Amino acid sequence: MTRRTEWPGTDTGAGPGPEFAAEISEDPPEPGRGAGFGEGAGRRSRSRSRSSGSPSSSRAEKGEPRDPVEQARNICLRLLTGTPRTRKQLADALRKREIPDEAAEEVLSRFEDVGLIDDAAFADAWVESRHHGRGLARRALVRELRTKGVDSAVIDEAVGQLDPEQEEETARELVARKLRSTRGLDRDKRLRRLAGMLARKGYGEGMALRVVRQALEAEGEDTEGLDEPF
C-alpha cells in the first residue's frame, strides 16, 4: 500500500499516472472464489456476514481499506479516471460515501498539490468545449460552472476567453443553421423560435434580437417593428 506521503504526482491536467491506473484496475476478488473458499467456507462466511451486519465488516469482505484516507483516495482515483472533476464534485462524492471530513480534506488537498484536481483547468476546458461544441454563451457557461462548484473568480477568468465578437459570431452560426427549418412560418413566429433558441443558450436579449433580425432581413423579410424586445 502506498503511503500518503509517497503518492506519485503528475503534470497538471494529465490525469492519473500508470501507478494509479494499476491500482484502480485491481478489483477485489469476488467472495466465494479463490483459495480457501470451499462450500463450507462460503457458508461460514455468509453466516459471519449476517451476524456482524456492520458496514466495516462488509467493506473488509470486499477488500476495501479500513483507513478512511485510503478509502477517500481510492474513491477519488476511480472518479478521476478518464473524467476530470472539480474539487466540489469529489467532495460531494466523499460525503455521500460517509468519508470523514478530515480525511476527505487531506486527500483533496493532496490531489490539488499534485495536479489531479485543477478547477481552473477544468473551467477553461469546459468553456472551450461547451462554447464551440454546443454554442453556449457566457451566461449559460457561468451557470453550468457554478453548479459544479467552481469558484466565482475562476469562472470569471475562464469565461473571459470569450470576447463579445466571438460570442456574436457563434450566435449568427446558430441562427443560420436553424433558419431553414423556420421557413414557411410567419415572421413573428420565426422571430420567437430563433430568439428563444439563443436565449436558452445564454445569449442576451439585445444580441439575440439583432442577430435574428439581420438573418431575416438577409432572406427578404420585412423587419420593421422588430427593434422592440421579444
Side-chain angles (χ1 to χ4, degrees):
M1 181 174 63
T2 305
R3 292 180 297 176
R4 293 190 298 275
T5 56
E6 297 178 355
W7 293 350
T10 62
D11 294 335
T12 301
E19 299 91 340
F20 291 149
E23 292 181 15
I24 297 169
S25 65
E26 292 175 3
D27 295 327
E30 296 181 15
R33 295 189 180 183
F37 281 97
E39 183 178 353
R43 286 197 297 269
R44 289 192 297 274
S45 175
R46 288 192 295 272
S47 176
R48 285 195 300 271
S49 176
R50 286 194 297 268
S51 62
S52 63
S54 65
S56 60
S57 64
S58 176
R59 286 194 296 267
E61 289 175 2
K62 293 179 181 179
E64 296 185 12
R66 294 177 181 270
D67 180 6
V69 172
E70 289 300 313
Q71 293 178 37
R73 176 175 175 270
N74 289 345
I75 291 168
C76 289
L77 286 173
R78 293 188 192 107
L79 291 174
L80 286 168
T81 302
T83 305
R85 298 179 192 268
T86 66
R87 177 170 178 138
K88 182 181 184 299
Q89 288 177 306
L90 293 173
D92 289 345
L94 295 178
R95 191 175 299 111
K96 186 176 180 180
R97 292 287 297 272
E98 300 182 348
I99 300 297
D101 291 343
E102 184 177 349
E105 180 66 24
E106 179 179 341
V107 170
L108 294 173
S109 295
R110 177 57 176 160
F111 273 39
E112 280 188 327
D113 290 343
V114 300
L116 291 177
I117 300 175
D118 188 338
D119 282 3
F122 178 96
D124 288 345
W126 188 267
V127 168
E128 177 74 14
S129 172
R130 299 287 282 175
H131 178 73
H132 292 290
R134 297 287 302 279
L136 299 188
R138 283 179 287 185
R139 187 181 303 176
L141 293 167
V142 168
R143 186 166 56 244
E144 289 187 342
L145 287 171
R146 280 178 180 166
T147 65
K148 297 184 179 302
V150 179
D151 182 77
S152 295
V154 175
I155 293 175
D156 291 342
E157 186 172 351
V159 299
Q161 301 175 44
L162 301 178
D163 57 63
E165 290 78 12
Q166 181 181 356
E167 201 172 35
E168 184 164 334
E169 179 60 30
T170 302
R172 294 183 192 282
E173 293 172 0
L174 291 170
V175 170
R177 290 201 295 265
K178 186 76 171 176
L179 197 62
R180 180 178 297 179
S181 67
T182 67
R183 289 172 185 159
L185 302 176
D186 65 67
R187 186 199 67 177
D188 291 344
K189 185 172 289 187
R190 297 185 81 186
L191 170 68
R192 288 194 299 271
R193 184 165 296 184
L194 293 169
M197 178 267 296
L198 291 179
R200 288 190 297 274
K201 290 182 178 292
Y203 292 89
E205 183 178 284
M207 179 187 291
L209 180 59
R210 181 173 65 255
V211 168
V212 172
R213 176 180 178 176
Q214 291 171 351
L216 294 177
E217 284 178 345
E219 287 203 336
E221 286 273 15
D222 179 10
T223 60
E224 184 179 356
L226 291 185
D227 289 327
E228 299 178 1
F230 53 85

